[in-house]
Amino acid sequence: MSSDDRLPEIQEIFRDILDEPDLVLNRHSNAENVPDWDSLAHVNLITAIEKRYKVKFALGQLQQLHHVGDLLDLLDQKLAAK
Amino acid sequence: MTKRKGLRRKLAERENLQPIRIAVLSGSTTNEVVDLLELKLLDAGFAPTFHQSEYGRFYVDAVHDADALIQFEPHLVYVHTSVRNIQRFPPVGCSEIEFEEHVKTEINFFQEMWTSLEEKIGCLVIQNNFEFPSYAILGNLDATIAGGHTRFVSALNLEFARRAASNSKLLVQDICSISARIGLDQWFDFERWFSYKINTSLEGSHAIATSLTAIIRAIYGKARKVLVLDLDNTLWGGVIGDDGVEKIQIGRETPVAEAYSAFQQYCLSLRNRGVLLAVCSKNNEEIAKQGFEHPDSILKLEHISCFKANWDPKHENIALIATELNLGADSFVFVDDNPAEREIVRAQIDGIAVPEVGSEVAQFARIIEAGRYFEPISLSQEDYERAALYDQNSKRTVFEGKFADYGEYLDSLSMTAEIGRFQPIYLERIAQLTNKTNQFNLTTRRYTFGEIESILTDPDAIGIYGRLTDRFGDNGLISVVLGRRKNDILDIDLWLMSCRVLKRDMEVAMLDTLIEYARGMGVAILHGHYLPTKKNAMVQDHYTKLGFETVSQNPDGSAIYSLETKGFTPRNTHIKIMEPANE
């Protein structure tokens, strides 16, 4: 499974948390271009993804998340290491 | 809990929500707690508006820069601080005197804030106490020496409690316990703290919001008041209509029965602090009520304020209970082991709480407690008096180790025994005891239910049971003696007792009753038999201690003893004997 194959699942989590049922994500989506992706939503998103995939992101890793693409790659890396 | 936004929209659309303005002053980022709190309050019928201080500005916003807060006109201020917000911990090598100084300084800091809020706003303040530190630098010493952070937190929490007790405008939220229930390792989340300055894990934030909602419900008189209970497999194990009252699981005989007893005890303790109990069960009313007459049932009919057992849908019965008790069903909590019944009641009755208790009775109380449905913010005099009556455990500590001799100790236990001939309701328990008792068991003979049952109609057999209650509670049916008459001799085939009542003189009381019955049958001599096993050495002197003469002793260790019934006078002095209820 390549990291992008998880995009639909991640998109579903974003849709739920941001309450935007029609939201479409791509690798370049970020807090600037996705409506309602504020700091609380960010916490909720990260927490939900950590729980969904049973992973825990490290501090340095969290800092380097700028786009959804970064998130997908990081998730891929975490799951491969499991 | 991902779909918070949609849920919030749905909840906020409901009518008659009570507006409430809550200011949150905090030492950490509270967006998550407030987000969850908003949902839970909406669900509880409030329409909350929030004002949050900037992270870490709780003191400044309350004392020096309160304009925004005053303008917000809160109904409630929640001061949410954590162990991370303690200003100055005592140094490691500090003295007891310095320790007290540090406590005073820290408390003054908080007191200044509470006083300022009282003067400037005058509303209720909810202040949480502190969770223990995320790690104990000094290990176990951390809790004992003056330089220990754990001890410092304990001292602050104690002082918070004192201040709240003397200030009706200050309520303490017990985060010390809330965090302990979750576990400190699950409570703290360092990544979240360093990344977002959120003090707790998501689970921690949920627990805080749940507890706050309970407090706020209680403040507005919306705490729940009634626990509505199903019967079969909720208050006892089994189906009373199919199995009969003798076969339901309640009492002490099996782990499952013990768990049902513990749950009944939990329900009773809720009742003793003012929560009403009601029954809603699909059952024949007459048969259902027999469950409460079971000798091991902790709940009696008198504890049940409203009893509905019939075949109508449960939501209809709950509506009737609400009418009869003159209370809204939104103050009810419904407990049923059947998920289908839970679902129907939840869907049909607005505002009722239906916790997902599952079907494991051992978990019921924990799950109900986690919902914090019955939160009180104060207790009335009546509550205290009621509590005093039922506080058996505190008596236990008071009585320990203060006796001149053993007899005095036995007397202090206020023991009452019910000793009588076998009754149908006890047959199951008796058969079971014969099969599992190994230590205090003179012959270790095992009996089937049928064999025990046949004793009831055998004119030459005497089967007696003993139940023992003391000031700490009911020990249940704990002793069995079984004898068979041949002419004027009674052979004691079985004598057993549960080890939880060893050295209580229960065997003395059993002998008194046995001889009374034996005489009634014209028996002149009792023959006691001892058959040694690997486990029953503790009773090898049983008969000689009771005054029997040794008749014969065999090389294998077995022995026969005898006692004449003529001239025997009862010896029990420490146990009050009660006549069996339904003989």
Side-chain angles (χ1 to χ4, degrees):
Chain A
M1 184 183 247
S2 98
S3 64
D4 284 6
D5 294 346
R6 251 173 234 110
L7 186 60
E9 291 171 11
I10 296 290
Q11 179 172 279
E12 204 44 46
I13 294 175
F14 271 68
R15 285 176 173 184
D16 277 353
I17 290 195
L18 302 177
D19 193 29
E20 296 281 350
D22 305 321
L23 178 70
V24 177
L25 286 185
N26 59 48
R27 287 189 63 89
H28 304 291
S29 304
N30 61 28
E32 304 290 309
N33 58 29
V34 172
D36 291 337
W37 187 345
D38 58 15
S39 62
L40 174 60
H42 185 73
V43 174
N44 292 343
L45 288 167
I46 296 295
T47 308
I49 290 165
E50 285 182 336
K51 288 202 185 304
R52 162 72 176 76
Y53 293 100
K54 299 192 172 62
V55 295
K56 184 98 179 132
F57 299 128
L59 284 175
Q61 295 171 330
L62 284 171
Q63 252 171 24
Q64 283 157 20
L65 296 181
H66 302 295
H67 303 279
V68 167
D70 301 334
L71 180 66
L72 290 169
D73 295 343
L74 176 60
L75 193 55
D76 203 44
Q77 185 191 324
K78 293 292 257 192
L79 289 172
K82 270 180 96 169
Chain B
M1 197 67 194
T2 54
K3 301 184 176 178
R4 281 186 222 160
K5 285 196 163 186
L7 188 59
R8 175 180 299 111
R9 217 177 31 230
K10 218 170 105 194
L11 286 169
E13 280 166 4
R14 294 180 308 160
E15 287 172 12
N16 299 324
L17 297 177
Q18 175 163 7
I20 176 174
R21 284 192 303 283
I22 302 170
V24 181
L25 306 183
S26 177
S28 56
T29 303
T30 47
N31 297 26
E32 183 176 78
V33 165
V34 166
D35 197 43
L36 296 169
L37 179 61
E38 183 183 17
L39 272 181
K40 289 174 200 261
L41 285 174
L42 276 168
D43 187 45
F46 294 94
T49 323
F50 293 96
H51 167 90
Q52 296 181 70
S53 75
E54 288 295 319
Y55 135 73
R57 298 243 318 165
F58 61 100
Y59 171 81
V60 179
D61 279 4
V63 179
H64 299 300
D65 197 5
D67 289 353
L69 188 60
I70 294 168
Q71 231 167 18
F72 177 67
E73 295 184 12
H75 297 114
L76 272 177
V77 175
Y78 174 46
V79 185
H80 179 49
T81 46
S82 79
V83 68
R84 288 179 165 125
N85 304 121
I86 287 175
Q87 306 294 302
R88 278 173 61 223
F89 277 100
V92 175
C94 102
S95 69
E96 287 293 326
I97 293 166
E98 282 175 290
F99 177 83
E100 293 303 329
E101 287 301 315
H102 270 81
V103 173
K104 210 178 284 175
T105 308
E106 196 69 30
I107 290 293
N108 285 345
F109 173 78
F110 281 90
Q111 183 63 60
E112 189 186 355
M113 194 168 52
W114 302 331
T115 306
S116 172
L117 289 171
E118 166 70 30
E119 286 168 5
K120 294 186 168 96
I121 298 165
C123 68
L124 270 179
V125 173
I126 303 173
Q127 163 78 57
N128 63 250
N129 63 10
F130 299 106
E131 71 275 49
F132 285 117
S134 48
Y135 26 72
I137 290 288
L138 300 174
N140 293 290
L141 264 189
D142 213 60
T144 51
I145 66 166
H149 288 197
T150 302
R151 185 175 156 201
F152 191 59
V153 165
S154 300
L156 294 179
N157 286 348
L158 181 61
E159 197 51 38
F160 272 28
R162 290 195 177 118
R163 303 282 166 129
S166 63
N167 179 353
S168 60
K169 292 263 182 83
L170 180 65
L171 298 176
V172 168
Q173 180 193 27
D174 186 12
I175 274 189
C176 187
S177 298
I178 294 168
S179 59
R181 261 179 223 113
I182 290 177
L184 289 178
D185 289 342
Q186 268 74 53
W187 175 263
F188 291 111
D189 185 319
F190 292 97
E191 282 83 3
R192 294 172 131 235
W193 172 250
F194 295 127
S195 301
Y196 325 119
K197 292 294 175 283
I198 295 178
N199 188 49
T200 53
S201 63
L202 180 60
E203 289 75 12
S205 298
H206 264 292
I208 291 170
T210 300
S211 145
L212 268 180
T213 304
I215 295 176
I216 293 167
R217 285 186 72 117
I219 291 169
Y220 285 87
K222 291 183 172 192
R224 300 195 186 256
K225 300 175 182 73
V226 185
L227 182 62
V228 183
L229 296 154
D230 168 52
L231 296 179
D232 293 333
N233 292 317
T234 297
L235 277 191
W236 54 67
V239 178
I240 197 164
D242 294 341
D243 304 339
V245 66
E246 311 85 33
K247 295 267 180 68
I248 60 172
Q249 297 242 42
I250 189 75
R252 296 295 183 93
E253 57 258 48
T254 65
V256 171
E258 289 232 26
Y260 281 103
S261 294
F263 181 58
Q264 287 204 359
Q265 187 62 53
Y266 167 75
C267 296
L268 182 60
S269 64
L270 282 177
R271 185 187 177 274
N272 289 340
R273 45 148 285 206
V275 175
L276 299 180
L277 303 182
V279 162
C280 178
S281 165
K282 284 190 174 154
N283 245 314
N284 169 298
E285 179 170 340
E286 204 178 313
I287 293 172
K289 284 186 171 169
Q290 287 172 6
F292 294 85
E293 285 153 17
H294 190 290
D296 285 319
S297 185
I298 289 166
L299 289 175
K300 305 293 175 196
L301 275 177
E302 73 208 50
H303 299 133
I304 308 297
S305 301
C306 194
F307 198 106
K308 295 283 170 211
N310 52 48
W311 304 99
D312 296 334
K314 292 205 172 178
H315 58 273
E316 291 176 12
N317 278 314
I318 291 175
L320 288 175
I321 294 171
T323 313
E324 281 180 34
L325 295 177
N326 200 20
L327 287 165
D330 58 355
S331 68
F332 287 15
V333 176
F334 175 64
V335 173
D336 195 317
D337 66 295
N338 181 336
E341 297 286 10
R342 292 200 295 264
E343 199 45 53
I344 291 168
V345 167
R346 193 180 290 128
Q348 296 294 323
I349 299 188
D350 228 17
I352 192 167
V354 186
E356 274 303 300
V357 292
S359 56
E360 288 298 323
V361 60
Q363 295 296 324
F364 288 174
R366 186 188 62 76
I367 293 166
I368 297 168
E369 278 301 290
R372 304 279 6 132
Y373 301 113
F374 305 109
E375 184 90 15
I377 51 165
S378 65
L379 288 176
S380 65
Q381 189 58 36
E382 195 188 328
D383 291 321
Y384 287 128
E385 280 162 14
R386 209 166 21 213
L389 278 176
Y390 289 93
D391 194 5
Q392 295 183 326
N393 279 339
S394 65
K395 284 182 202 150
R396 192 189 292 269
T397 25
V398 173
F399 277 101
E400 255 165 27
K402 270 181 18 185
F403 306 102
D405 60 36
Y406 195 70
E408 199 178 302
Y409 167 72
L410 288 180
D411 289 337
S412 80
L413 292 172
S414 311
M415 293 183 288
T416 304
E418 173 190 318
I419 302 175
R421 285 179 179 264
F422 288 1
Q423 297 183 35
I425 195 157
Y426 292 133
L427 296 181
E428 191 99 359
R429 166 68 171 162
I430 289 166
Q432 197 178 37
L433 270 179
T434 71
N435 284 292
K436 74 175 191 185
T437 310
N438 296 313
Q439 298 183 79
F440 198 114
N441 193 336
L442 274 296
T443 54
T444 323
R445 292 202 175 104
R446 313 301 194 187
Y447 292 83
T448 63
F449 181 86
E451 286 165 340
I452 292 295
E453 195 176 26
S454 70
I455 305 293
L456 292 178
T457 50
D458 184 342
D460 287 325
I462 302 181
I464 62 172
Y465 71 90
R467 296 175 58 100
L468 186 66
T469 302
D470 59 34
R471 66 164 62 249
F472 306 122
D474 188 352
N475 296 289
L477 194 158
I478 40 70
S479 186
V480 177
V481 178
L482 182 51
R484 252 173 230 285
R485 185 176 68 123
K486 263 183 239 145
N487 303 319
D488 64 346
I489 295 176
L490 187 82
D491 277 301
I492 305 172
D493 293 337
L494 181 74
W495 189 318
L496 65 78
M497 194 171 78
S498 157
C499 285
R500 65 174 170 248
V501 293
L502 276 185
K503 296 194 191 297
R504 295 289 194 83
D505 267 12
M506 187 62 189
E507 58 275 30
V508 177
M510 292 293 285
L511 180 63
D512 287 353
T513 305
L514 179 66
I515 289 188
E516 190 190 319
Y517 288 140
R519 277 180 183 150
M521 288 170 71
V523 168
I525 296 169
L526 303 185
H527 271 180
H529 299 263
Y530 172 64
L531 303 176
T533 68
K534 278 181 185 160
K535 290 180 175 168
N536 73 351
M538 69 153 69
V539 288
Q540 60 184 347
D541 300 326
H542 171 72
Y543 285 115
T544 47
K545 280 185 193 160
L546 286 174
F548 284 59
E549 305 279 338
T550 308
V551 176
S552 65
Q553 245 170 335
N554 300 314
D556 65 2
S558 67
I560 301 175
Y561 305 87
S562 78
L563 181 71
E564 286 184 33
T565 59
K566 194 181 154 197
F568 177 88
T569 49
R571 298 171 189 163
N572 160 50
T573 54
H574 299 296
I575 303 175
K576 191 179 152 211
I577 306 296
M578 218 172 59
E579 289 300 312
N582 20 326
E583 203 178 9

